[in-house]
Amino acid sequence: MVLVIGGGVSGLMTAWILLDKGYRVTIVAEEWRQRGDKSPDKKADRMTSQIAGALWEYPPGGCGLSEIEVPVLAYSTLAQYRTWALQSFLFYKLLAENDSLVAEKNRFGARMITLYQFFQKLPAPPPSEDQNPQGERTQEADPEWKKAKNAIKYGPNDFNIQWGYRHQAPVVDTDVAMEFLMNRVRDKGATLETRHIREDLHLQERELMDDFKADIIVNASGLGAKVLASDNQVFPVRGAVRRMTLDNNDNAALDGMDLVLLPAQYDTRNQPGKTVFIVPRNEKTTVVGSIIQRNNWDLALTLESPEVEDMWKRAHGLVPALQTRKPSARPLAQGLRPFSHSNVRVSADNRTASCRVVHNYGHGGSGWTLAVGCAWTCVTIVERMLHRAEAGSVANANVWGLGGHRGAD
Ligand SMILES: Cc1cc2nc3c(=O)[nH]c(=O)nc-3n(C[C@H](O)[C@H](O)[C@H](O)COP(=O)(O)OP(=O)(O)OC[C@H]3O[C@@H](n4cnc5c(N)ncnc54)[C@H](O)[C@@H]3O)c2cc1C
């Protein structure tokens, strides 16, 4: 039996794979998905996994500055992020194809659309064909690029766009997908319990395992890992999105572009720039973001907050066609991206030789981009630990070279 802590995309994806492999699973979380615009409680805020764009981005993602901070000491490298992202890409692509074949109530909520990614300075190192097999550079002769250039404020007096590429990318309607994931794990037999877990898991591992009759614990608690893993490298990056709608419910492409991303880049003084992302979430709603504010825990932004106004001005400054949208019923969503200075952590906790906790947290602004790949790695570590325990050994999972580059973990 596996106890999964966390009811966000990381916990539910991990639980889904475990259930498919025949494990019994209990998921404990203090917060679950809200039913979005359908929620009877209009004040209820969506959880972080719902607030996400959720756009798939080839790492390092643009929405959260550089996702990869200290590759040498980190739990995971850029190469690992890319593998996880590509695993997730393939899975969402399959789900998007499946969505077009099944009844609405059975849909996951994924779509493949064309992402136009623009840069104000050349990213370093520049993506090459082999680094981003999905990508296409800007082609002056390409009529699609001509259309795109006309649709945005491209030139030196506006956004001074230097470079760009486009490719097919999955976009997930997170309200639909979180509902799908909850139903999926329930149908497959998971038990769901609402509970706040206090303190480091390390201190209460035995107690929790006895309470839940669990053989092992997966910690997919996002920012909660700051406490549950006593990890002071975990920190929030506040973000917000405006939710816009069209009167006629026809979420037409923005002058030929499905989805626009201008990632935050560092300027010549090494100061972080600002980002724009415009993501059509479904036929009705376009999500417009975003804000990147490190170490800010305060979720009290309003439409009138200066940074929200600035975000909106920036977005319709870049793509003027956006101004035809109207604010949707719940026009602002805000959340805390669960970042870690040590990058994503999918690894066993080895603070004691007998520890039976596997971590899956620190996904920052890329939780959906990485979710499927991270869940597979997490399950692989869980299985190896269980297998070794059965064989009478209690050595930790990093012995097999999985889930982390920090030798000490
Ligand atoms: C504005 C914004 C835009 C974003 N855009 C994108 C995007 O375009 N693409 C993308 O890939 N990602 C995006 N993200 C990031 C993405 O939302 C996160 O990386 C992802 O949701 C992390 O998922 P998680 O399951 O790890 O954590 P969470 O969704 O935070 O879930 C954590 C779970 O753990 C539970 N928990 C925590 N502590 C405890 C405790 N002590 N006891 C019990 N339960 C606990 C919580 O209740 C919750 O159920 C965005 C985020 C924001 C805020």
Side-chain angles (χ1 to χ4, degrees), residues 172-187:
V172 177
D173 183 331
T174 55
D175 290 337
V176 177
M178 287 300 288
E179 188 72 24
F180 176 100
L181 288 171
M182 293 280 286
N183 291 338
R184 184 54 59 111
V185 295
R186 263 205 208 99
D187 292 350

Side-chain angles (χ1 to χ4, degrees), residues 158-181:
D158 292 295
F159 280 83
N160 198 19
I161 306 290
Q162 301 289 333
W163 203 76
Y165 57 78
R166 72 183 150 96
H167 61 83
Q168 288 289 295
V171 168
V172 177
D173 183 331
T174 55
D175 290 337
V176 177
M178 287 300 288
E179 188 72 24
F180 176 100
L181 288 171

Side-chain angles (χ1 to χ4, degrees), residues 13-332:
M13 282 288 185
T14 307
W16 182 359
I17 298 172
L18 286 164
L19 289 157
D20 276 355
K21 283 178 163 273
Y23 293 96
R24 284 184 303 114
V25 174
T26 294
I27 310 170
V28 171
E30 74 182 297
E31 194 191 8
W32 304 96
R33 62 84 187 79
Q34 292 291 334
R35 287 177 191 273
D37 293 333
K38 289 186 198 138
S39 170
D41 178 1
K42 291 287 173 213
K43 286 200 185 120
D45 274 334
R46 293 172 163 89
M47 68 185 306
T48 309
S49 287
Q50 282 177 281
I51 285 161
L55 156 68
W56 180 94
E57 285 179 85
Y58 190 66
C63 291
L65 294 177
S66 171
E67 306 273 330
I68 316 289
E69 292 212 337
V70 274
V72 179
L73 294 173
Y75 286 116
S76 45
T77 60
L78 181 58
Q80 178 69 79
Y81 270 60
R82 288 180 170 165
T83 304
W84 284 328
L86 289 171
Q87 287 167 334
S88 307
F89 182 103
L90 293 176
F91 189 69
Y92 296 139
K93 189 165 177 279
L94 275 177
L95 286 170
E97 283 159 14
N98 191 55
D99 274 4
S100 62
L101 304 174
V102 298
E104 197 173 331
K105 66 178 175 31
N106 296 324
R107 287 186 192 150
F108 176 78
R111 284 191 302 155
M112 297 299 292
I113 60 182
T114 309
L115 159 69
Y116 284 80
Q117 180 143 347
F118 299 104
F119 297 90
Q120 289 169 309
K121 66 176 189 185
L122 201 66
S128 66
E129 292 299 303
D130 58 325
Q131 279 174 317
N132 185 358
Q134 301 292 331
E136 284 175 51
R137 280 163 167 251
T138 48
Q139 297 291 328
E140 294 306 316
D142 177 345
E144 293 305 317
W145 271 109
K146 276 198 184 139
K147 255 198 282 174
K149 273 181 84 166
N150 290 337
I152 65 167
K153 296 275 184 70
Y154 201 96
N157 296 329
D158 292 295
F159 280 83
N160 198 19
I161 306 290
Q162 301 289 333
W163 203 76
Y165 57 78
R166 72 183 150 96
H167 61 83
Q168 288 289 295
V171 168
V172 177
D173 183 331
T174 55
D175 290 337
V176 177
M178 287 300 288
E179 188 72 24
F180 176 100
L181 288 171
M182 293 280 286
N183 291 338
R184 184 54 59 111
V185 295
R186 263 205 208 99
D187 292 350
K188 288 178 180 283
T191 306
L192 274 54
E193 187 175 318
T194 306
R195 201 208 271 198
H196 174 70
I197 311 271
R198 289 173 210 287
E199 296 189 312
D200 191 337
L201 294 174
H202 181 53
L203 304 173
Q204 48 179 331
E205 181 194 339
R206 286 286 138 209
E207 201 182 309
L208 283 171
M209 284 177 31
D210 286 349
D211 274 7
F212 289 97
K213 306 207 174 353
D215 302 296
I216 196 159
I217 300 173
V218 169
N219 170 26
S221 61
L223 275 178
K226 197 169 181 59
V227 171
L228 298 191
S230 289
D231 188 340
N232 61 14
Q233 297 298 299
V234 172
F235 68 103
V237 174
R238 181 166 77 163
V241 290
R242 283 202 58 169
R243 299 166 56 84
M244 309 302 290
T245 189
L246 274 183
D247 281 346
N248 58 6
N249 288 355
D250 171 18
N251 206 354
L254 295 158
D255 286 342
M257 290 179 293
D258 285 343
L259 192 157
V260 178
L261 177 63
L262 180 72
Q265 291 183 289
Y266 287 92
D267 66 17
T268 45
R269 286 167 297 130
N270 215 23
Q271 292 303 308
K274 293 184 173 174
T275 181
V276 175
F277 78 86
I278 302 168
V279 181
R281 157 159 297 208
N282 50 41
E283 296 73 41
K284 200 171 163 186
T285 307
T286 300
V287 172
V288 180
S290 184
I291 292 170
I292 296 166
Q293 293 174 325
R294 289 170 180 241
N295 290 310
N296 192 331
W297 292 88
D298 188 12
L299 290 177
L301 291 166
T302 66
L303 288 177
E304 288 74 40
S305 299
E307 51 271 74
V308 175
E309 287 187 342
D310 183 47
M311 168 183 96
W312 173 238
K313 268 192 213 141
R314 212 165 48 238
H316 71 69
L318 180 70
V319 183
L322 251 191
Q323 287 182 87
T324 54
R325 267 57 172 182
K326 305 251 176 313
S328 66
R330 300 172 104 201
L332 182 71

Side-chain angles (χ1 to χ4, degrees), residues 385-400:
M385 284 176 76
L386 289 174
H387 180 72
R388 276 188 83 100
E390 268 169 30
S393 167
V394 288
N396 81 72
N398 281 341
V399 172
W400 299 282

